[in-house]
């Protein structure tokens, strides 16, 4: 690749052709402030805070959007640049309802940070906020959209469009009225939004935030009548550290458990347990569907079957491909299976009235907040999951409690419903559910382990947009003889833009898959909308590595070998897809409109 | 009123019947010769930025792409200008010939006229003329088709990259440059986009040769230009004038005898006060002329009864509304300038605040994403600096 030589602040640097000035500066460890720029998104170049001086050019150039060229001389800190930058920040602040001390993003806001760095003062421009008719949409159980905090950087628009291919948010109006709007400016919960939170994760300010339930959880904890049960999703333990001052890629499972106990939760349990359970139910459902389609030739049985554990994906398919809802596994997500069991089986086991249980879950996800509030999620006779917190909210609670997270000693989950397998841990990464399901389903059918070195089904791992893998079934157990010689075709996609590619090929009949795993978020749950900010490919890769490290280190690697799951079936559920399972662990879906 | 002996030309609107002949003649020449003629002629874009037309065609001819496009910019959104409408009504074939020759030079087979929505009534007559023109092209054996694209009405869609976005079915928001249209324009393919008038001028150059064109005008502003004259003038209308005319001469010809200022180039242009009329020549921004001509050629004359505060206020209101709103300096800056001069006028801010606003305008000029935001400072600074008392009292 040809190299481009330029100087930035009089220092020589050489970059690949096509690299931007911003990237070149990064190479020299020169920090240029940015707002609309985000590594995961296409370049917009609209905030203009990253402008730099290019010798020979009267106007400044946006460093994020300008390719480096041979012989360029760039100044990032000249008087002209500083004046312009400060002016841009001052302008943004002037149309911004700056009330940092009461803002959810206080302390982690990019606008606030720049404003403080550039000493934006009182004597600035005219405050435009009073003249604006800003709206705040707090009707959704998952996401709050506050236009008065919006800097119109369009990161959210690009997230929703590029990563998710939905377009739930777009730019409306022009000039002074220009704003980010949902379809017909309806509330977020009424539009095609999937609650995935990818926009929330990338919004630099407090304009798009998760609806937080921190105070609700605190008051439940402090209510002596209540028994507080908490479950933690697989992807939380490999990212929580980031929000508490640690490097990405750290596994903090034991510290997280210790912190939750310190916060005052009575039972500290693991969503991984129901992830294993999901595999048993979903795996058996797949086999049942295969039998229905291949042996009984039942036209009602739909293949390919898709996974159902990502609530963003569920809302998406309800809107976009309602005709394919019969293809979605009826198995609930691990969060909701857990919720249903906590207020039935577990309540009974610990002899607590389910009425007195508050079931809290810690999720990497904003869509789980919406999921917990679905009307059908009351299988236990109560609201199965009462309160959902994101990884970020948990970190905030740990800070509020004054806990020195890094200094905590590792602790173990409580039992029952605290034991899990490596197969459950990898639910947090794209391809993980597929891998876990194959480890189990293959063994059910053949009586042997999947034919992959160390149980690692590498073709379904990694960040490729769409991954395919096929396993040929040979010498099955007699009960499954109809599968002899069948090549089980699977497909994995993460991010809804990629899901769309796969589903379109299912609709037009091009794809002949048996089983499809879809996760709404890039990289899977580890890149969820509720995860620590910032996110980028580098960080998601480190989180992924941590997940597979955690899997490798687990004594049990297969869901069906989780002893507590085995016991749960013996004691309570009796058999996969049985009566109790249907009552508690499976669900139905609602076709919705696109508009 | 006595009829004035106006110093005006009649090149563009001269109805010439030799279209076929000029087209055939030009098509026989090499692309390089055609481009060279344009470069020698000194023709610069009449749509705003004043980019040398020959160079633009040359860059597009050298650019690589599966397809290439020629687009005629007929969005004409500048308030009070309608010269492109007149050119398309009176001498559309000149424009089509310009497009076809450009297509030959760069290797395009598709062309579009991006027509301002309000000019819908032109679609029917233009379509007829285009159909005839296609017959002519068939005759000389050149595969090139022109279609009309009706604009959506937003002023910003006249900006070339916003225009491409709008043609591609997106919101009309300007793109980052580079890449320039000649590298990646419509559908990210090499594209020449020229103003209606620019294309009409190429016809004259093909016909009369580059030297005749170059003989008109001065230094870096060659040829003639169609102006829309309005404001305090007894003879409003559109006039073709030679570049290099001094503003003194201009107001003598067009003013009502009491001109105190001329706004050259509309809202995005510069305001020239009486004391500078003598030393200001009409033309592109350069050493000699001192005044740029950023947009469609609007010339607005103000006599001493006018409040320059009101003039500026109108311009700013226009920008506040017509900014596409995507970039900070323009979206917020225009609002601040408008409210700022109101506050000074009302006495809510001291007159020193104007200095802050001038600084803001300058920052907008150097940081805004497209020509709209970049040129707000032109009218703002020239009016505020030259008519400061009118801003305060
Ligand atoms: C806000 C804005 C509006 C514009 N509107 C027009 C227009 O209506 N017609 C036009 O020809 N050029 C317009 N331009 C200039 C175009 O971007 C472009 O420079 C021009 O069409 C190129 O043609 P030329 O080289 O022949 O001038 C506008 C530019 C800006 C920044
Ligand atoms: S969004 Fe940022 S700048 Fe705005 S109030 Fe919140 S913390 Fe402050
Ligand atoms: S939550 Fe997801 S679907 Fe909803 S607007 Fe944000 S990115 Fe789009
Ligand atoms: S909501 Fe957030 S991400 Fe979207 S434009 Fe506003 S500030 Fe940017
Ligand atoms: S300068 Fe104005 S019109 Fe141009 S891109 Fe920025 S906001 Fe839009
Ligand atoms: S970060 Fe470059 S323009 Fe916004």
């Amino acid at each position: 690749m040809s190299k481009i030589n330029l100087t930035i602040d009089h220092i020589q640097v050489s970059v690949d052709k096509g690299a931007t000035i911003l990237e070149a500066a990064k190479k020299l460890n020169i920090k240029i402030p940015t707002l609309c720029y985000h590594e995961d998104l296409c370049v917009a170049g609209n905030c203009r805070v990253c402008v730099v001086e290019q010798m020979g050019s009267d106007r400044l150039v946006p460093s994020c959007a300008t390719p480096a060229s041979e012989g360029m001389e760039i100044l990032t800190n000249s008087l002209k640049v500083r004046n312009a930058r400060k002016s841009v920040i001052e302008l943004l602040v002037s149309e911004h309802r700056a009330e940092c001390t009461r803002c959810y993003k206080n302390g982690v806001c990019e606008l606030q940070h720049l404003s403080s760095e550039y000493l934006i003062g009182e004597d600035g421009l005219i405050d435009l906020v009073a003249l604006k008719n800003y709206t705040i949409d707090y009707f959704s159980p998952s996401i709050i959209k506050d236009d008065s905090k919006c800097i119109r950087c369009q990161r959210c628009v690009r997230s929703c469009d590029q990563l998710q291919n939905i377009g739930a948010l777009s730019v409306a109006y022009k000039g002074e009225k220009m704003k980010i709007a949902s379809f017909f400016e309806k509330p977020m919960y009424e539009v095609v939004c999937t609650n995935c939170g990818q926009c929330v994760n990338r919004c630099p300010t407090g304009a798009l935030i998760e609806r937080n339930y921190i105070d609700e959880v605190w008051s439940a904890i402090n209510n002596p009548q209540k028994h507080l049960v908490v479950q933690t999703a697989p992807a939380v333990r490999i990212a929580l550290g980031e929000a508490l001052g640690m490097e990405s890629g750290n596994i903090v499972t034991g510290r997280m458990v210790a912190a939750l106990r310190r916060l005052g939760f009575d039972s500290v349990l693991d969503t991984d347990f129901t992830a294993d359970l999901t595999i048993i139910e979903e795996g058996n459902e797949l086999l049942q569907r295969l039998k229905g389609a291949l042996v009984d030739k039942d036209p009602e049985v739909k293949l390919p079957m898709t996974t159902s554990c990502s609530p963003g994906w569920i809302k998406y398919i309800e809107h976009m491909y309602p005709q394919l809802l019969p293809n979605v596994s009826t198995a609930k997500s691990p969060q909701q299976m857990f919720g249903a069991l906590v207020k039935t089986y577990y309540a009974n086991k610990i002899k607590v009235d389910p009425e007195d249980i508050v079931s809290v879950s810690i999720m990497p996800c904003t869509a789980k907040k919406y999921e917990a509030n679905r009307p059908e999620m009351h299988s236990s006779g109560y609201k199965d999951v009462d309160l959902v917190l994101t990884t970020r909210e948990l970190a905030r609670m740990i800070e509020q409690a004054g806990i020195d997270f890094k200094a905590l000693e590792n602790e173990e989950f409580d039992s029952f419903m605290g034991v899990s397998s490596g197969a459950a841990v990898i639910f947090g990464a794209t391809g993980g559910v597929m891998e876990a399901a194959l480890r189990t389903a293959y063994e059910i059918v053949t009586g042997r382990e999947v034919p992959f070195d160390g149980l690692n089904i590498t073709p379904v791992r990694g960040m490729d947009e769409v991954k395919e893998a096929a396993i040929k079934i040979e010498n099955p157990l007699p009960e499954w003889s109809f599968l002899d010689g069948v090549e089980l075709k699977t497909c994995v996609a993460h991010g809804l833009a990629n899901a769309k590619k796969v589903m379109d090929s299912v609709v037009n009949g091009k794809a002949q898959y048996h089983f499809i795993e879809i996760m709404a978020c890039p990289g899977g749950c580890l890149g969820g909308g509720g995860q620590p900010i910032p996110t980028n490919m580098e960080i998601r890769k480190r989180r992924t590595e941590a997940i597979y490290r955690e899997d490798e280190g687990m004594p049990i690697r297969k869901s069906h070998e989780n002893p507590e799951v085995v016991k749960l079936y013996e004691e309570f559920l009796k058999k996969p897809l049985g009566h109790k399972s249907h009552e508690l662990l499976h669900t139905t879906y609602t076709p919705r409109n696109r508009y | 009123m006595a009829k004035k002996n106006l110093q005006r030309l009649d090149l563009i609107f001269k109805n010439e019947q030799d279209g076929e002949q000029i087209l055939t003649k030009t098509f026989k020449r090499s692309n390089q010769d055609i481009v060279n003629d344009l470069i020698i002629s000194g023709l610069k874009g009449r749509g705003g930025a004043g980019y040398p037309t020959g160079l633009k065609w040359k860059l597009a001819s050298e650019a690589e792409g599966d397809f290439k496009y020629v687009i005629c910019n007929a969005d004409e959104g500048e308030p009070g200008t309608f010269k492109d409408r007149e050119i398309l009504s009176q001498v559309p074939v000149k424009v089509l010939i310009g497009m076809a020759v450009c297509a030959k030079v760069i290797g395009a087979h598709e062309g579009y006229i991006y027509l301002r929505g309000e000019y819908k009534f032109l679609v029917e007559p233009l379509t007829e003329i285009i159909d005839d023109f296609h017959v002519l092209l068939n005759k000389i054996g050149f595969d090139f088709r022109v279609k009309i694209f009706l604009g959506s009405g937003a002023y910003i869609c006249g900006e070339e990259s916003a225009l491409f976005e709008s043609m591609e079915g997106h919101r009309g928001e300007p793109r980052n440059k580079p890449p320039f249209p000649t590298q990646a324009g419509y559908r990210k393919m090499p594209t020449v986009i020229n103003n209606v008038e620019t294309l009409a001028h190429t016809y004259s150059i093909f016909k009369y040769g580059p030297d005749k064109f170059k003989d008109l005008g001065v230094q870096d502003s060659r040829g003639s230009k169609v102006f829309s004259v309005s404001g305090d003038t007894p003879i409003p209308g559109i006039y073709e004038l030679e570049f290099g005319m001094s503003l003194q001469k201009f107001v003598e010809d067009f003013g009502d005898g009491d001109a105190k200022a001329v706004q050259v180039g509309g809202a995005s242009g510069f305001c020239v006060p009486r004391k500078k009329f003598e030393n200001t020549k009409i033309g592109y921004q350069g050493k000699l002329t001192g005044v740029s001509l950023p947009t469609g050629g609007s010339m607005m004359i103000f006599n001493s009864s006018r409040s320059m505060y009101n003039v500026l206020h109108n311009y700013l209101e226009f920008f506040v509304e017509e900014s596409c709103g995507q970039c900070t300096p323009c979206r917020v800056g225009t609002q601040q300038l408008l409210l700022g001069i109101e506050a000074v006028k009302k006495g809510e801010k001291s007159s020193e605040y104007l200095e802050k606003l001038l600084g803001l305008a300058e920052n907008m000029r150097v940081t805004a994403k497209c020509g709209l935001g970049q040129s707000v400072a032109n009218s703002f600074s020239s009016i505020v600096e030259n008519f400061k008392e009118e801003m305060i009292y």
Side-chain angles (χ1 to χ4, degrees):
Chain A
M1 193 160 213
S2 56
K3 287 277 181 186
I4 301 269
N5 299 296
L6 66 158
T7 68
I8 300 181
D9 299 338
H10 311 293
I11 310 169
Q12 276 281 343
V13 60
S14 154
V15 291
D16 289 339
K17 195 165 185 282
T20 60
I21 298 172
L22 182 67
E23 285 158 351
K26 207 166 275 174
K27 229 177 141 178
L28 292 175
N29 293 319
I30 294 172
K31 192 171 158 265
I32 299 172
T34 55
L35 279 171
C36 66
Y37 174 81
H38 193 285
E39 284 157 295
D40 289 334
L41 305 172
C42 70
V43 168
N46 60 30
C47 75
R48 314 306 279 183
V49 84
C50 73
V51 286
V52 294
E53 191 167 350
Q54 179 184 352
M55 297 307 274
S57 156
D58 173 34
R59 282 197 288 268
L60 303 176
V61 298
S63 59
C64 70
T66 310
S69 63
E70 189 61 37
M72 226 179 202
E73 293 173 54
I74 298 294
L75 297 177
T76 72
N77 189 31
S78 64
L79 185 63
K80 190 169 171 180
V81 170
R82 272 199 314 274
N83 277 342
R85 226 178 248 167
K86 181 161 181 173
S87 177
V88 166
I89 300 165
E90 225 176 6
L91 287 170
L92 284 172
V93 170
S94 79
E95 64 169 357
H96 187 90
R97 190 166 62 94
E99 42 123 37
C100 302
T101 48
R102 277 177 288 167
C103 182
Y104 189 57
K105 287 298 267 301
N106 190 8
V108 288
C109 167
E110 294 179 39
L111 178 65
Q112 183 191 44
H113 185 78
L114 279 182
S115 174
S116 109
E117 203 166 276
Y118 282 81
L119 300 172
I120 304 301
E122 284 274 354
D123 55 343
L125 298 160
I126 294 171
D127 184 7
L128 303 177
V129 180
L131 309 164
K132 305 268 171 187
N133 200 4
Y134 287 130
T135 44
I136 306 178
D137 171 3
Y138 42 76
F139 297 107
S140 157
S142 54
I143 290 171
I144 296 174
K145 176 169 175 285
D146 180 350
D147 292 348
S148 69
K149 306 270 177 75
C150 173
I151 59 167
R152 282 89 158 167
C153 67
Q154 301 190 37
R155 280 198 203 170
C156 54
V157 175
R158 283 173 285 148
S159 301
C160 195
D161 185 52
Q162 238 183 290
L163 306 174
Q164 306 298 58
N165 202 336
I166 297 171
L169 295 171
S170 57
V171 178
Y173 309 109
K174 61 180 167 57
E176 58 175 335
K177 298 202 175 70
M178 183 271 204
K179 65 178 285 195
I180 310 302
S182 58
F183 189 68
F184 274 121
E185 299 185 57
K186 289 191 199 167
M188 293 283 276
Y189 83 97
E190 281 184 25
V191 297
V192 45
C193 170
T194 67
N195 304 291
C196 70
Q198 289 305 312
C199 55
V200 172
N201 207 293
R202 288 174 183 77
C203 177
T205 69
L208 279 168
I209 54 172
E210 68 269 23
R211 190 187 188 111
N212 87 78
Y213 296 90
I214 292 176
D215 286 340
E216 285 85 341
V217 172
W218 278 130
S219 58
I221 286 176
N222 289 309
N223 182 341
Q225 245 77 68
K226 298 291 181 187
H227 183 94
L228 266 278
V229 178
V230 66
Q231 54 164 320
T232 60
V236 175
R237 66 205 65 186
I238 48 89
L240 177 64
E242 291 168 34
L244 292 162
M246 296 167 74
E247 286 291 310
S248 56
N250 272 301
I251 305 170
V252 296
T253 320
R255 288 196 183 105
M256 173 183 73
V257 171
L260 287 166
R261 270 201 197 103
R262 290 262 206 109
L263 292 179
F265 286 100
D266 301 300
S267 303
V268 180
L269 305 178
D270 200 355
T271 315
D272 285 20
F273 169 80
T274 37
D276 279 331
L277 187 59
T278 300
I279 289 302
I280 309 296
E281 291 291 323
E282 200 169 276
N284 277 287
E285 183 184 353
L286 175 67
L287 294 173
Q288 196 183 54
R289 285 194 192 220
L290 286 170
K291 183 158 180 290
L294 301 177
V295 181
D296 312 336
K297 312 257 185 256
D298 181 351
E300 295 292 299
V301 173
K302 298 291 183 221
L303 283 175
M305 184 178 90
T306 82
T307 56
S308 56
C309 22
S310 167
W313 155 240
I314 294 302
K315 182 100 186 311
Y316 178 81
I317 189 170
E318 286 178 338
H319 282 291
M320 306 302 258
Y321 302 93
Q323 76 277 21
L324 292 182
L325 283 173
N327 291 64
V328 181
S329 163
T330 59
K332 280 183 188 170
S333 72
Q335 162 175 280
Q336 293 306 138
M337 285 196 181
F338 202 102
L341 289 174
V342 159
K343 294 196 182 176
T344 52
Y345 174 71
Y346 188 77
N348 190 36
K349 217 170 174 79
I350 60 168
K351 304 275 177 291
V352 176
D353 184 350
E355 179 94 45
D356 292 331
I357 289 183
V358 177
S359 152
V360 178
S361 69
I362 315 292
M363 293 285 142
C365 181
T366 47
K368 296 274 183 204
K369 291 178 187 272
Y370 178 89
E371 183 187 41
N373 283 291
R374 280 177 174 256
E376 61 269 28
M377 295 301 175
H378 286 75
S379 315
S380 60
Y382 304 87
K383 193 176 175 199
D384 295 333
V385 175
D386 293 295
L387 297 162
V388 180
L389 303 181
T390 58
T391 311
R392 294 191 290 269
E393 289 164 80
L394 174 60
R396 191 62 74 90
M397 287 185 73
I398 292 171
E399 281 170 348
Q400 287 177 351
I403 296 168
D404 181 354
F405 189 72
K406 286 187 229 175
L408 287 175
E409 298 280 341
N410 289 343
E411 289 180 21
E412 296 281 327
F413 283 108
D414 290 321
S415 178
F416 211 77
M417 295 174 61
V419 170
S420 66
S421 76
V425 172
I426 59 175
F427 259 60
T430 167
V433 176
M434 179 60 68
E435 180 164 350
L438 289 177
R439 284 184 195 169
T440 290
Y442 189 89
E443 205 164 317
I444 294 176
V445 170
T446 64
R448 303 183 303 272
E449 289 191 338
V450 277
F452 286 88
D453 191 24
L455 295 175
N456 299 332
I457 309 182
T458 43
V460 298
R461 296 185 181 183
M463 291 297 179
D464 287 351
E465 297 180 344
V466 174
K467 295 165 279 187
E468 291 180 335
I471 298 190
K472 190 155 186 180
I473 297 176
E474 279 162 337
N475 301 323
L477 297 171
E479 190 189 343
W480 303 101
S481 57
F482 68 93
L483 286 174
D484 197 9
V486 169
E487 190 166 54
L488 195 64
K489 291 200 176 109
T490 68
C491 176
V492 172
H494 57 122
L496 293 169
N498 296 325
K500 182 171 191 305
K501 291 181 202 157
V502 173
M503 295 326 278
D504 282 344
S505 68
V506 168
V507 170
N508 66 29
K510 278 206 187 112
Q512 298 296 331
Y513 304 119
H514 296 107
F515 189 28
I516 299 172
E517 178 207 293
I518 307 261
M519 291 293 156
C521 294
C525 304
L526 59 89
Q531 291 284 60
I533 297 170
T535 181
N536 59 38
M537 188 56 101
E538 197 48 46
I539 291 174
R540 290 193 294 278
K541 281 189 173 151
R542 279 201 290 268
R543 291 178 188 164
T544 307
E545 282 159 23
I547 282 204
Y548 287 112
R549 245 189 297 134
E550 178 92 332
D551 169 34
E552 294 264 9
M554 300 287 275
I556 307 164
R557 307 274 310 284
K558 295 174 280 190
S559 298
H560 55 278
E561 290 177 359
N562 178 334
E564 290 195 345
V565 169
V566 173
K567 196 149 174 237
L568 175 72
Y569 276 107
E570 280 168 15
E571 285 184 5
F572 185 65
L573 296 170
K574 303 304 172 205
K575 63 172 185 169
L577 308 180
H579 174 69
K580 266 263 171 319
S581 290
H582 269 289
E583 198 180 299
L584 295 175
L585 308 183
H586 290 257
T587 187
T588 54
Y589 305 110
T590 316
R592 295 171 202 267
N593 294 329
R594 233 174 239 219
Y595 301 106
Chain B
M1 178 174 292
K3 198 164 183 326
K4 289 179 179 172
N5 186 15
L6 298 179
Q7 242 191 27
R8 47 182 291 205
L9 299 167
D10 187 21
L11 268 175
I12 285 254
F13 291 108
K14 194 155 111 198
N15 203 341
E16 308 190 63
Q17 301 298 330
D18 53 1
E20 179 169 356
Q21 198 191 325
I22 301 299
L23 187 69
T24 320
K25 179 182 107 178
T26 313
F27 260 72
K28 291 203 179 106
R29 307 185 59 211
S30 76
N31 292 340
Q32 199 171 354
D33 285 350
I34 295 172
V35 164
N36 278 345
D37 272 8
L38 288 179
I39 291 175
I40 292 167
S41 77
L43 173 63
K44 287 184 181 175
R46 300 304 198 232
Y51 194 80
T53 307
L55 195 56
K56 194 185 262 191
W57 289 21
K58 184 171 154 55
L59 289 172
S61 72
E62 289 162 0
E64 283 179 31
D66 296 342
F67 299 95
K68 292 185 183 181
Y69 299 99
V70 178
I71 293 175
C72 167
N73 190 343
D75 196 44
E76 197 160 52
E78 184 77 31
T81 59
F82 45 87
K83 50 123 188 151
D84 292 340
R85 182 190 76 195
E86 284 311 298
I87 295 172
L88 282 176
S89 313
Q90 297 182 32
V91 288
V93 174
K94 292 187 181 179
V95 177
L96 291 173
I97 289 175
M99 290 179 76
V101 174
C102 177
K104 162 185 147 66
V105 168
I106 70 170
H109 300 285
E110 268 181 63
Y112 292 89
I113 297 176
Y114 188 98
L115 191 67
R116 178 187 164 120
E118 284 87 338
Y119 296 169
K120 204 172 164 187
F121 61 89
L122 278 177
V123 172
E124 220 182 283
L126 266 182
T127 308
E128 240 172 74
I129 290 160
I130 290 171
D131 288 345
D132 290 348
F133 189 68
H134 286 161
V135 175
L136 182 59
L137 288 175
N138 288 343
K139 219 161 105 186
I140 63 168
F142 184 58
D143 172 19
F144 179 61
R145 289 288 168 269
V146 177
K147 291 182 203 136
I148 299 175
F149 189 102
L150 208 58
S152 61
Y155 172 62
I156 193 59
C157 289
E159 195 281 336
E160 52 200 20
S161 60
L163 184 148
F164 302 144
E165 288 292 312
S166 135
M167 283 181 70
E168 291 171 19
H170 306 138
R171 184 183 151 82
E173 280 188 354
R175 300 174 181 165
N176 288 297
K177 292 172 204 167
F180 293 96
T182 47
Q183 305 160 262
Y186 178 48
R187 297 192 176 149
K188 313 282 180 295
M189 293 294 158
T191 303
V192 163
I193 177 162
N194 273 133
N195 173 254
V196 174
E197 187 188 339
T198 314
L199 289 162
H201 279 301
T202 64
Y203 167 89
S204 306
I205 294 164
F206 302 147
K207 176 165 177 177
Y208 300 108
D211 295 328
K212 275 259 166 7
F213 190 86
K214 200 183 164 196
D215 283 348
L216 294 170
V218 287
Q219 283 205 347
D220 46 9
S221 305
R222 295 290 172 184
S224 62
K225 166 96 188 82
V226 183
F227 292 93
S228 308
V229 180
S230 61
D232 296 315
T233 167
I235 46 168
I238 60 170
Y239 299 89
E240 185 175 356
L241 304 173
E242 190 180 339
F243 274 133
M245 188 188 216
S246 81
L247 274 189
Q248 185 64 38
K249 177 82 181 93
F250 174 81
V251 294
E252 278 165 19
D253 281 4
F254 293 93
D256 63 359
D258 185 28
K260 77 165 168 186
V262 178
Q263 179 76 15
V264 183
S268 313
F270 289 88
C271 181
V272 184
R274 187 183 289 146
K275 63 176 189 284
K276 294 185 187 159
F277 286 170
E278 196 63 61
N279 290 326
T280 305
K281 293 203 164 67
I282 301 172
Y284 295 100
Q285 196 158 26
K287 286 185 209 83
L288 179 87
T289 55
V291 155
S292 92
L293 188 75
T295 44
S298 151
M299 301 287 280
M300 202 175 258
I301 304 173
F302 301 109
N303 68 19
S304 51
S305 74
R306 302 284 157 185
S307 149
M308 294 313 286
Y309 171 83
N310 287 347
V311 169
L312 179 59
H313 196 270
N314 283 345
Y315 289 156
L316 289 173
E317 276 182 334
F318 173 76
F319 286 128
V320 163
E321 194 175 323
E322 292 302 334
S323 153
C324 82
Q326 71 162 315
C327 81
T328 312
C330 175
R331 178 187 67 250
V332 198
T334 51
Q335 297 175 59
Q336 287 292 351
L337 293 181
L338 177 62
L339 291 171
I341 63 163
E342 283 178 356
V344 170
K345 192 79 176 174
K346 284 189 224 148
E348 291 163 9
K349 291 261 183 197
S350 76
S351 57
E352 275 102 80
Y353 194 63
L354 288 174
E355 297 307 316
K356 180 160 175 93
L357 296 180
L358 285 168
L360 169 58
E362 170 62 11
N363 281 325
M364 288 165 68
R365 187 181 73 78
V366 296
T367 57
K369 186 167 176 177
C370 87
L372 190 147
Q374 290 161 3
S375 61
V376 172
N378 296 350
S379 52
F380 186 85
S381 305
S382 58
I383 293 177
V384 169
E385 274 164 6
N386 289 307
F387 299 95
K388 198 164 247 166
E389 310 75 48
E390 292 193 36
M391 300 300 121
I392 302 167
Y393 306 109

